[in-house]
Amino acid sequence: MPEPTIPDEGVHHHHSHSDHRSHRQRRSHRGLIIALVIIAVVLALAGVAGAYAYSLYSSVQQVKADATAAMSVASDLDANSISSLEFDGLSSQAVSLAATAHDIQSELSGTKWDIAERLPIVGQDVASVRTLVNTVVDLADNALMPMADVLEQTDLSNLMRDGAIDVASIEKLANAVSDVAPVLDGAKQTLDSLPTSRIEQVNDLTTRADEAVDEVSGIVDSLNAVLPSLPAALGADGPRTYLLVAQNNAEIRATGGFPGAFAPVTVTDGVIELGDVSTLAGARDYEFEITDEERSIFGDGMAISVNNLNMTPDFPRAASLLSQAWLTYMGQAVDGVIAVDPVFLQRMLGLVGGVTLDDGTVVDGTNAAHVLLSDTYWYYGNDGEAQDAFFAYVAQTAADHIMASLGQVDLKSLFGVLQDSAGDGRLMVWFADEAEEATAITLGVDGALSTDPTAPELGVYVNDDTWAKMTWYLDINTAVGQKTQNPDGTSTYTVTTSYTNVITPDEAYSAPSYVTGSSPMKRSVDDMYIKPLLVAPAGGTITNVIMDNGGEMAEGSLYGFDEWSGAVNLASGETVTITFDVTVPAGTTADLAVRETPTGQEFPAPASAEQSIPAEGELAVEEELPAA
């Protein structure tokens, strides 16, 4: 998956779905760029023709006419089929392009061109052009047309219908992509073997063709790393069970939030069934094995409370522990863990439309996070059982609606939501199977700490210890300064991260105690107590850590990364800023990226959150809610 875009100095980095990872998406139509190489061939031919013989004029003119026709078809492909992800008619267009490539190949196979290839000086250039055209024909016949056939038959927009995924179509697509890979490899080898031409147009053409094949090969390689393992993960070889974990950002954890709701998801040959929603909150009958580093940084509470298993920012580690918790307390082994938060739920409801609860309350793409992370607590006060029942009810209702409606969702919009949510940590997936986990890594949904020193990623995380739901009011703001090159080849950035409590005193003192919390570390009702965690990029360090409130952070090590941790009290309206230097390894050319713990809402927040407190009866659900 793709890396976050880091703002220039003075530009703030907020918790919003567009702020974290700018996704370097490759436009789908580039997969057909081999067709456009045909047009580029004409430019080289024209240059060659003008260089040595008028007798080639009519031949070049014919090729030009063929290329013009190809350009028209290619333009239709780009504008109509690919950009809309609708592939009706794609095969016929691919056939037309291939036929044109064959016409050009046939024209270049004539006696005039045989003679031209034997001429001194320009002969080698003619040979290169003919080789290039032959390569385009091979790509058209054995890559473009087969893929077009499969895409047209697969109909990606209908891969999911009625809560089921079309596994057979995914397998067909996987096989087609696998077959295309060696064709692209062969084309790459041929292009690399072409000698440098005396004619710049030929060199330019070869370079562009080489780049096009490289780009398509990259896409195919990525697909080959994902598609083969998907059918088994979707239950093609037998039922799979995954644990869906809803993270509650109102009580923040490093990976997102308090793991408040759990539900098993069973997938059998693409048919998805969501089990009953449960909670493991408060479960403390089992002690999990954690490392000495984890115990030093996160405390003993991580080992004994399910609520704290995701204090680690490394999602594969947290997911493994959460799967152990489900097995221990519920007796069910799972094949993986999927973590989401209410903002992800809100984005999905924005695609499929809202749900109407039994009392008439609408939860949709504009308010789901607010309802679940704020309004509910104000309405139910300190009645935790009622809150849990309401959460389970909303989660089940929304999930059923989403699964039933995905078949009608615009595919590009769905991909956009999934990609954005994976990028900002609101959707993460872990597989127990190593090969399938590699797929999650390729897709960028694994949520693991990056171990790639050439793509430096700073981790800015936070765990709440207020024993409350106060971090709905937490704003985290990170800014990265300009890069400074050091004499030893390393690079250093000065980074500033600020934490602000945006609750007003009136809100805090009128809120239920369930919202404001009872931690002995609180100084006042409006105070929150959080624990920032900074994790250096792979092979890098964090130094010169300064807290502007005079507090201190301690340096340590976590999974081989340099890390700093501490604690911060934030009263209403208070901001604490941490400034520090991040040094990345020598030879690193990529800019420093930042991965942050996602909060529950997009900031800047309203001047007063009091506007959102529900009026009497606003969330009045039925006395007897559906069973959790």
Side-chain angles (χ1 to χ4, degrees):
M1 207 67 50
E3 302 295 337
T5 299
I6 304 306
D8 292 330
E9 185 171 15
V11 178
H12 295 294
H13 188 80
H14 290 292
H15 279 289
S16 71
H17 67 277
S18 61
D19 297 328
H20 287 274
R21 298 187 181 224
S22 66
H23 312 293
R24 292 175 295 192
Q25 301 174 345
R26 299 173 184 269
R27 294 177 59 196
S28 298
H29 71 272
R30 292 179 180 176
L32 297 176
I33 201 167
I34 53 176
L36 299 179
V37 173
I38 297 171
I39 290 87
V41 168
V42 177
L43 298 177
L45 291 177
V48 173
Y52 62 86
Y54 178 77
S55 63
L56 292 179
Y57 176 78
S58 60
S59 183
V60 171
Q61 292 301 106
Q62 180 60 53
V63 172
K64 279 187 175 181
D66 289 338
T68 299
M71 181 180 294
S72 175
V73 177
S75 177
D76 288 342
L77 270 171
D78 181 24
N80 300 327
S81 299
I82 308 306
S83 61
S84 63
L85 291 177
E86 295 177 359
F87 302 109
D88 290 344
L90 184 60
S91 291
S92 62
Q93 291 171 312
V95 168
S96 177
L97 281 170
T100 303
H102 277 277
D103 288 344
I104 295 175
Q105 182 187 51
S106 178
E107 187 66 33
L108 292 177
S109 299
T111 303
K112 291 187 291 295
W113 293 98
D114 288 340
I115 296 172
E117 189 173 324
R118 299 189 187 96
L119 292 174
I121 303 177
V122 298
Q124 183 59 63
D125 300 317
V126 174
S128 293
V129 170
R130 297 174 92 181
T131 298
L132 185 55
V133 170
N134 291 339
T135 302
V136 171
V137 168
D138 184 38
L139 288 169
D141 287 349
N142 300 308
L144 176 60
M145 286 201 300
M147 282 304 300
D149 286 342
V150 171
L151 287 172
E152 188 169 357
Q153 294 169 17
T154 300
D155 188 7
L156 294 180
S157 63
N158 285 318
L159 274 182
M160 186 160 191
R161 296 185 301 274
D162 302 323
I165 299 172
D166 186 352
V167 177
S169 291
I170 293 177
E171 288 179 315
K172 185 183 296 184
L173 183 59
N175 292 334
V177 170
S178 178
D179 291 342
V180 162
V183 179
L184 292 167
D185 290 342
K188 174 65 176 172
Q189 293 175 13
T190 298
L191 293 171
D192 288 345
S193 69
L194 292 178
T196 302
S197 173
R198 293 177 178 83
I199 300 174
E200 193 56 39
Q201 287 171 300
V202 176
N203 289 329
D204 179 60
L205 171 61
T206 302
T207 298
R208 282 186 286 159
D210 197 33
E211 290 174 349
V213 171
D214 274 347
E215 187 165 19
V216 177
S217 294
I219 296 171
V220 168
D221 288 346
S222 295
L223 290 173
N224 266 330
V226 172
L227 291 176
S229 64
L230 281 184
L234 294 170
D237 300 332
R240 289 297 188 92
T241 300
Y242 302 102
L243 181 63
L244 180 64
V245 179
Q247 299 198 90
N248 186 328
N249 320 82
E251 187 171 350
I252 211 161
R253 295 290 184 267
T255 63
F258 182 94
F262 297 77
V265 179
T266 302
V267 188
T268 306
D269 199 25
V271 178
I272 302 171
E273 295 182 6
L274 180 68
D276 291 339
V277 178
S278 306
T279 180
L280 297 180
R284 291 173 175 265
D285 299 331
Y286 177 82
E287 184 166 347
F288 298 89
E289 291 187 12
I290 64 174
T291 67
D292 291 341
E293 286 180 344
E294 290 169 338
R295 193 176 298 275
S296 172
I297 297 168
F298 307 116
D300 294 335
M302 180 179 176
I304 61 175
S305 174
V306 176
N307 306 344
N308 296 330
L309 292 178
N310 58 342
M311 281 185 162
T312 169
D314 188 60
F315 182 70
R317 171 61 173 158
S320 177
L321 290 170
L322 290 167
S323 71
Q324 292 177 39
W326 188 253
L327 176 62
T328 299
Y329 289 104
M330 304 300 287
Q332 184 179 32
V334 295
D335 299 296
V337 176
I338 304 167
V340 298
D341 71 3
V343 175
F344 172 72
L345 177 67
Q346 179 169 299
R347 292 171 181 173
M348 293 299 292
L349 290 175
L351 294 178
V352 304
V355 294
T356 302
L357 307 182
D358 288 346
D359 70 328
T361 301
V362 175
V363 181
D364 59 22
T366 66
N367 69 348
H370 209 296
V371 167
L372 292 172
L373 297 177
S374 180
D375 294 349
T376 302
Y377 298 118
W378 285 87
Y379 181 79
Y380 287 108
N382 300 320
D383 189 345
E385 290 187 7
Q387 293 168 7
D388 290 342
F390 180 72
F391 287 139
Y393 170 43
V394 175
Q396 193 96 42
T397 304
D400 289 345
H401 176 58
I402 290 170
M403 297 307 298
S405 306
L406 279 180
Q408 287 73 53
V409 171
D410 173 68
L411 199 61
K412 288 197 300 180
S413 299
L414 176 60
F415 284 168
V417 166
L418 296 178
Q419 201 164 38
D420 287 347
S421 299
D424 57 17
R426 302 187 186 281
L427 168 65
M428 294 179 286
V429 181
W430 169 78
F431 292 98
D433 180 88
E434 289 187 6
E436 291 170 3
E437 176 65 3
T439 297
I441 294 170
T442 300
L443 291 172
V445 297
D446 57 297
L449 298 180
S450 173
T451 58
D452 184 0
T454 66
E457 181 179 84
L458 166 70
V460 177
Y461 309 106
V462 63
N463 284 299
D464 176 63
D465 203 14
T466 315
W467 306 359
K469 305 302 177 188
M470 282 281 281
T471 51
W472 168 256
Y473 303 98
L474 176 65
D475 179 13
I476 307 172
N477 188 343
T478 296
V480 177
Q482 297 297 318
K483 177 167 63 175
T484 299
Q485 204 70 39
N486 302 318
D488 63 355
T490 62
S491 301
T492 298
Y493 301 79
T494 296
V495 182
T496 300
T497 294
S498 63
Y499 303 87
T500 302
N501 180 355
V502 301
I503 198 170
T504 67
D506 287 345
E507 289 164 354
Y509 283 92
S510 62
S513 60
Y514 198 90
V515 171
T516 54
S518 57
S519 170
M521 302 305 296
K522 286 174 65 75
R523 303 167 302 181
S524 58
V525 172
D526 63 336
D527 198 24
M528 68 172 67
Y529 183 64
I530 59 172
K531 294 182 175 180
L533 173 68
L534 307 175
V535 179
T541 59
I542 293 175
T543 55
N544 303 322
V545 180
I546 300 173
M547 300 179 72
D548 68 352
N549 67 344
E552 294 184 356
M553 295 187 72
E555 185 177 16
S557 177
L558 181 64
Y559 315 134
F561 296 86
D562 181 33
E563 67 82 27
W564 290 72
S565 55
V568 172
N569 282 92
L570 293 172
S572 171
E574 186 174 4
T575 297
V576 170
T577 299
I578 305 173
T579 303
F580 52 98
D581 292 334
V582 178
T583 299
V584 300
T588 300
T589 57
D591 290 334
L592 179 66
V594 177
R595 176 184 166 194
E596 289 183 330
T597 297
T599 60
Q601 58 177 301
E602 316 294 351
F603 281 91
S608 171
E610 195 170 354
Q611 305 161 7
S612 66
I613 299 173
E616 183 68 27
E618 185 175 330
L619 281 177
V621 297
E622 299 290 337
E623 286 291 328
E624 295 186 280
L625 291 167

